Amino acid sequence: MTKKVLYIFNPEHDLALASGEANYMAPASARQMAAELALLPMWYAEEGSAVLASSAYNLNYLKQMQELLDIPVRLITEPELASEPDWDIHPWGWDVALRKRLAGLGVDETLLPSMEQLSSWREYSHRSKAVSLLSELQLNEHFCGESYYLETPEEWKAFVEEREGCLLKAPLSGSGKGLNWCKGVFTPFISGWCTRVAASQGGVIAEPIYNKVEDFAMEFYSDGAGGVTFAGYSLFHTGKSGMYEGNRLLSNEAIREQLSQYVPSEALTDLENCLKYKLSALVGTVYKGYLGVDMMICRFPENKKTVFRIHPCVEINLRMNMGVMTRLLYDHYVYSDSTGRFGIDYHPSEGEALKEHERLSATFPLEIREGKVHSGYLPLVPVHKRSCYRAWILVTPDSL
C-alpha cells in the first residue's frame, strides 16, 4: 500500500534550523504566519494528498476553492494525525523541532527522519556550502560573485575595513534575516554580532555588495538516490534589506527570455547543467526533496559601457521554497496566456487584511477559464477579520 502524502507549512523552519534545539519555540509572529498560511501547500500538493491545518476557516475556504478549481487535496487536523498510521511527510523544511512536535502528536517515529539525517541536512544548509559552490560556478566571463566564510575577529575586521560597503550573513538564517550591511567601519555592534553568530554557527559569511538588477533562482528536485533534476525558474523580488517580497507568475520560457536580455541564454543552460551535476555530488544522496539556488543578475561598469553577469549562487535553500511553490502554482492553476504576481503581506491591525482582501476582490474580479485562473485576484488562504497574513495572486491576461 502506498503511503499517503502529508504536507506541512512550517515557515519558522529556518529559525528552528539556526537554533538547532528540539524545544525551539518560534516567535509569536512566525507561529501566527504558520497558522494563517497553513493551507498554502494545497497549491503545490500532489493529487490525493492531505494538508495539515486547523479546520476553523480553512475547511470552508478549501471547499470554496474546490468549487472553482480542481484541487485534489483534503485537510487534516493535528488531532487526526495519529489515527492514520502511514504518512509520507513533506514539510516546508525538516528540523529537530518539527520532528519532536510530530512525534508528540502521535506520528510513528519510523516515519520521521533520524536525528543523524537531520544533523546532516542542517550541515548542508550552512551557507559555507554555498561559498564553496560559488567558486566552482564561475564558468566564463558571464559569471561573477565572491563570498567568504570567515572564522576569526581579525578576518571580520579586515574584510569590513577594506571595503566601502559589504554584507555579513549568519551561516544559518531565514530569507532576508541574519544580514548585516556594513559601511567600512567595524563598529562594536558589528563586532558583537559577529562574535555571537560565530559562537553558535562557527563563523560569518562575508560578501561584497553587488549592483543587482534581478533576483532569480533555479529550482531542483533531489531524489535522494543521487539524481537531481531541474524543476524550473523563479523570478522574485526582495526589499532594500533583502527580505523576500514576492514572485512573478511567468512561464519558464518567459523568465529565461527576461534574463536573456542581460546574459546569453547559453550561459543559463550551461549553469543549469553544471548545477545538476554539482548538486548531485553535494546533496544527491543526502537529501530528498526540492531545493533552490538563489541567484542575481549584476551590473558592472566596464570601459565606459555596462556589462551584466550572473551571480550563480547567493544561497542554497535545502527545503521547499516560494520559488518552487509559484512554479507549480503557475503551471497547474494559471491560464498559460496569463501572467501575474504572487505576494505575502503582513497587516498588523485587526481588520486591515480583510479590508484589503475585499478591495482587491472588488477591483480585480476573478475570471476562471478552462479550469484555470485567467485574470483577477485570488486569495491563496482564507482571509478573515483577525487575519494578519495574506497570501495571494493577481493575474492579468497577457494580451493587456
Side-chain angles (χ1 to χ4, degrees):
M1 190 178 113
T2 56
K3 288 181 178 176
K4 297 179 289 291
V5 178
L6 173 72
Y7 290 87
I8 301 170
F9 182 59
N10 55 319
E12 72 283 5
H13 161 72
D14 289 338
L15 298 169
L17 198 66
S19 113
E21 299 292 325
N23 294 320
Y24 173 75
M25 171 69 86
S29 58
R31 299 200 305 274
Q32 184 168 16
M33 184 185 195
E36 292 186 1
L37 304 186
L39 273 185
L40 262 190
M42 69 186 247
W43 298 103
Y44 58 85
E46 63 182 60
E47 192 171 337
S49 57
V51 177
L52 185 66
S54 67
S55 55
Y57 302 111
N58 291 317
L59 197 55
N60 280 343
Y61 167 85
L62 178 60
K63 284 177 179 162
Q64 281 175 341
M65 289 298 120
Q66 286 173 327
E67 285 166 17
L68 288 173
L69 301 159
D70 178 23
I71 301 171
V73 303
R74 63 192 174 99
L75 182 151
I76 189 158
T77 62
E78 286 190 351
E80 294 170 314
L81 263 189
S83 61
E84 297 194 33
D86 225 17
W87 292 114
D88 178 9
I89 302 170
H90 292 212
W92 192 252
W94 275 114
D95 51 71
V96 291
L98 178 64
R99 186 187 193 280
K100 184 175 182 189
R101 177 184 146 204
L102 292 174
L105 290 168
V107 174
D108 186 333
E109 295 223 5
T110 61
L111 303 175
L112 303 172
S114 67
M115 293 300 280
E116 290 74 28
Q117 275 178 305
L118 291 172
S119 171
S120 160
W121 295 342
R122 185 174 190 263
E123 180 194 329
Y124 281 94
S125 296
H126 197 273
R127 281 184 167 132
S128 58
K129 299 291 184 194
V131 170
S132 307
L133 186 58
L134 175 61
S135 60
E136 297 173 27
L137 297 174
Q138 303 300 319
L139 307 183
N140 54 43
E141 73 278 10
H142 299 299
F143 293 84
C144 68
E146 51 186 282
S147 184
Y148 304 91
Y149 179 48
L150 308 178
E151 298 175 68
T152 67
E154 295 75 26
E155 290 177 310
W156 309 329
K157 187 173 192 293
F159 192 89
V160 170
E161 291 180 347
E162 281 163 14
R163 292 160 180 79
E164 280 183 25
C166 70
L167 177 59
L168 302 180
K169 297 177 176 177
L172 287 165
S173 62
S175 305
K177 300 259 174 62
L179 304 181
N180 220 315
W181 302 85
C182 307
K183 291 183 175 169
V185 184
F186 194 63
T187 62
F189 171 82
I190 293 168
S191 171
W193 181 85
C194 289
T195 304
R196 285 193 303 278
V197 168
S200 61
Q201 300 184 18
V204 170
I205 307 296
E207 300 174 356
I209 292 172
Y210 293 94
N211 187 348
K212 176 180 71 179
V213 290
E214 293 279 8
D215 277 306
F216 73 106
M218 287 189 188
E219 311 294 352
F220 297 88
Y221 182 80
S222 171
D223 65 7
V228 171
T229 48
F230 180 62
Y233 281 94
S234 153
L235 191 61
F236 62 98
H237 30 265
T238 53
K240 281 197 169 66
S241 66
M243 284 291 285
Y244 171 81
E245 289 188 342
N247 262 73
R248 295 282 304 281
L249 292 172
L250 295 164
S251 67
N252 274 318
E253 295 70 31
I255 295 177
R256 269 186 74 99
E257 207 172 296
Q258 181 141 341
L259 298 173
S260 302
Q261 294 171 22
Y262 304 104
V263 293
S265 61
E266 303 79 67
L268 295 164
T269 305
D270 291 347
L271 178 57
E272 179 192 317
N273 291 331
C274 181
L275 271 169
K276 279 189 286 199
Y277 172 74
K278 299 277 186 192
L279 291 169
S280 172
L282 185 67
V283 296
T285 55
V286 177
Y287 170 78
K288 183 179 181 182
Y290 283 106
L291 66 149
V293 181
D294 285 355
M295 305 177 179
M296 302 186 286
I297 301 282
C298 303
R299 179 191 285 119
F300 294 87
E302 211 165 85
N303 301 331
K304 295 187 178 172
K305 61 176 188 178
T306 300
V307 296
F308 297 97
R309 296 193 178 101
I310 303 168
H311 185 310
C313 184
V314 177
E315 62 185 52
I316 305 166
N317 290 309
L318 211 59
R319 54 165 170 77
M320 187 61 184
N321 60 69
M322 294 299 177
V324 176
M325 194 205 89
T326 48
R327 174 79 278 128
L328 297 172
L329 167 68
Y330 180 87
D331 293 345
H332 288 140
Y333 296 109
V334 178
Y335 198 72
S336 60
D337 286 347
S338 298
T339 61
R341 56 197 174 96
F342 158 80
I344 291 180
D345 294 337
Y346 174 67
H347 302 270
S349 317
E350 184 169 307
E352 200 181 291
L354 182 60
K355 205 163 140 187
E356 181 61 2
H357 162 73
E358 287 168 345
R359 184 187 74 78
L360 288 165
S361 300
T363 313
F364 304 101
L366 186 66
E367 189 202 335
I368 308 289
R369 191 178 288 187
E370 295 166 20
K372 294 194 172 188
V373 178
H374 181 253
S375 64
Y377 163 79
L378 177 71
L380 300 179
V381 293
V383 185
H384 50 86
K385 194 169 134 229
R386 297 184 63 185
S387 296
C388 287
Y389 289 91
R390 282 189 316 122
W392 49 272
I393 61 172
L394 191 56
V395 175
T396 49
D398 229 8
S399 52
L400 288 182

